[in-house]
Amino acid sequence: IRAGSWSIVPEATLFSLLVDDWIIWLPGSDGLFRPGNLRKVWSRGVETSLRLQRSWQRWSMQVQARYQFVRATNTSVYTVDQSALNKQLPYVPQHTLGGGFQVTRGQLRLTYLHQWYAGRYTNASNTTALPAYSTAQFIAGYNHLWKGNAIGLNFRINNCWNTDYQSIAYQPMPGRSWILGVSFGW
């Protein structure tokens, strides 16, 4: 879709899966992940995205937003305990929202990405949960051709805002970190 000098790209996907013998990996009390067999799982939801792009002279800009809703539930269990029926699977967030902004000029690229995850249940009966959290990344890159060879310099800051969060119970994720990389291709 064109709107003046902007290019607009909307996307939407609906999905529904009914799976027998779903294997789920969950951490035990010792922190080690072990497989479990779920009798029948129904996973359904929607994924949407919207991307806006604009170019002028040697500059280009892109703004993107994404949203995902996932409802993944047990529809049949092997045990007599029925408390997991029709409950969200552990560690599967129902809502995920992301966005980003990228500016490019020639071979220079600057990108900011932000991702938000809703709270996730940590057990099959949905009685305990981890809180929602968000993280961000900043990425800068420069690529150059020299005598027919590609040389690249990349810099990345992970968890820009030094967010304190856990994606798995009792396992804190790292704080802010950075990576500097050089690539060479011929």
Side-chain angles (χ1 to χ4, degrees):
I1 302 171
R2 305 265 325 153
S5 59
W6 288 91
S7 173
I8 303 169
V9 183
E11 292 182 18
T13 303
L14 297 172
F15 64 92
S16 178
L17 302 163
L18 191 57
V19 180
D20 290 329
D21 296 321
W22 180 298
I23 303 299
I24 188 167
W25 288 82
L26 295 174
S29 59
D30 56 4
L32 298 176
F33 283 78
R34 292 182 177 77
N37 192 336
L38 303 180
R39 185 170 188 176
K40 190 173 284 195
V41 171
W42 183 21
S43 179
R44 65 269 190 205
V46 62
E47 297 176 357
T48 61
S49 69
L50 179 64
R51 188 173 67 237
L52 306 172
Q53 299 176 144
R54 181 171 188 224
S55 296
W56 65 100
Q57 297 175 356
R58 295 184 62 202
W59 293 88
S60 69
M61 180 173 62
Q62 179 176 298
V63 178
Q64 183 170 345
R66 296 174 308 283
Y67 171 73
Q68 182 181 51
F69 171 78
V70 176
R71 184 83 173 123
T73 58
N74 283 305
T75 58
S76 181
V77 294
Y78 285 115
T79 64
V80 176
D81 181 11
Q82 304 288 304
S83 65
L85 277 177
N86 303 312
K87 302 281 177 58
Q88 184 77 357
L89 295 183
Y91 294 104
V92 177
Q94 282 192 10
H95 306 278
T96 306
L97 182 65
F101 181 84
Q102 180 172 293
V103 175
T104 305
R105 184 178 193 276
Q107 302 302 314
L108 177 66
R109 186 185 71 234
L110 302 173
T111 307
Y112 176 79
L113 303 171
H114 203 95
Q115 189 77 18
W116 175 82
Y117 300 89
R120 284 113 28 251
Y121 293 108
T122 59
N123 61 7
S125 59
N126 292 178
T127 56
T128 60
L130 291 171
Y133 68 91
S134 66
T135 62
Q137 293 180 331
F138 172 76
I139 306 161
Y142 183 79
N143 295 311
H144 182 71
L145 282 176
W146 180 67
K147 295 185 181 181
N149 300 311
I151 300 171
L153 181 63
N154 296 291
F155 178 70
R156 173 186 292 246
I157 301 174
N158 295 316
N159 196 0
C160 291
W161 310 117
N162 206 25
T163 302
D164 182 24
Y165 70 98
Q166 296 177 31
S167 52
I168 304 292
Y170 309 109
Q171 297 184 18
M173 297 302 290
R176 183 182 304 117
S177 64
W178 61 271
I179 299 169
L180 179 63
V182 177
S183 61
F184 183 77
W186 58 93

